[in-house]
Amino acid sequence: MLLKLFAEQVVDKWDDIFPAINAALPSLEEDSKEYNSREDVLMRSFLKGNLVCWLMVSGEDKEKIIGVLTTSIIIDPGTEMKSLFIYSIFAYQFLSIKSWVTVLEPLMKYARREGCVNILAFSDVEKIINIMNEVGADTSQKVLRLEVF
């Protein structure tokens, strides 16, 4: 099951949430300015509403966190079409394709309610790419990144 958190809930569960988000993001050189400020910047983004945090939970009491997902709504500047961008996704355990589908269904409903036409993400994790292929996502595009020195 997927639970959308309010900003206050993110603050309350931050010690569980931040390590999962950090593990899902591209690594930064330790002790760099960016590495040391990532936690503060992310927290501000949740508090401002720029990022939304979702918990993947299991069990009858829905207390066992099995994953953390973060999203943001982005707007294409050329078409003004909205997309739900998956900023990070992290699972503490193996999840079957069926489990991933149960995660994507509420995201699809949320995206529709928010007026989004797509769910977008980027990943270099082969398992995530394969899962997205299985659920019908177009994975043919590549992210091109050139570091600015």
Side-chain angles (χ1 to χ4, degrees):
M1 172 179 259
L2 193 64
L3 301 175
K4 181 179 177 248
L5 300 184
F6 293 105
E8 304 81 41
Q9 293 171 303
V10 172
V11 172
D12 291 343
K13 295 187 178 297
W14 189 245
D15 290 341
D16 296 322
I17 292 169
F18 176 69
I21 297 169
N22 198 43
L25 296 176
S27 60
L28 296 172
E29 187 176 318
E30 281 197 50
D31 296 326
S32 68
K33 177 183 170 192
E34 295 82 8
Y35 181 87
N36 291 323
S37 66
R38 178 182 269 175
E39 186 170 4
D40 293 336
V41 172
L42 285 168
M43 178 59 83
R44 281 195 306 275
S45 293
F46 288 115
L47 293 174
K48 290 179 187 176
N50 296 335
L51 277 175
V52 174
C53 186
W54 307 77
L55 294 184
M56 294 177 270
V57 295
S58 69
E60 289 182 25
D61 57 2
K62 299 174 187 144
E63 285 295 316
K64 182 178 181 193
I65 299 172
I66 59 172
V68 178
L69 187 136
T70 60
T71 61
S72 181
I73 294 177
I74 59 173
I75 299 173
D76 182 311
T79 63
E80 295 185 342
M81 292 172 34
K82 291 183 187 179
S83 293
L84 184 65
F85 176 63
I86 298 175
Y87 179 71
S88 68
I89 189 165
F90 181 84
Y92 291 102
Q93 63 190 47
F94 171 81
L95 295 177
S96 66
I97 289 179
K98 182 181 176 185
S99 295
W100 284 109
V101 169
T102 64
V103 166
L104 289 172
E105 286 172 349
L107 275 184
M108 293 284 275
K109 288 178 185 176
Y110 173 76
R112 238 180 264 118
R113 275 195 317 271
E114 294 296 322
C116 297
V117 296
N118 295 301
I119 293 179
L120 303 174
F122 58 85
S123 179
D124 61 354
V125 179
E126 203 61 38
K127 180 179 176 181
I128 296 290
I129 294 167
N130 291 337
I131 289 168
M132 294 307 291
N133 271 323
E134 288 285 326
V135 298
D138 175 1
T139 60
S140 64
Q141 296 185 19
K142 305 288 184 217
V143 172
L144 308 175
R145 182 174 66 132
L146 178 61
E147 188 173 334
V148 178
F149 300 95

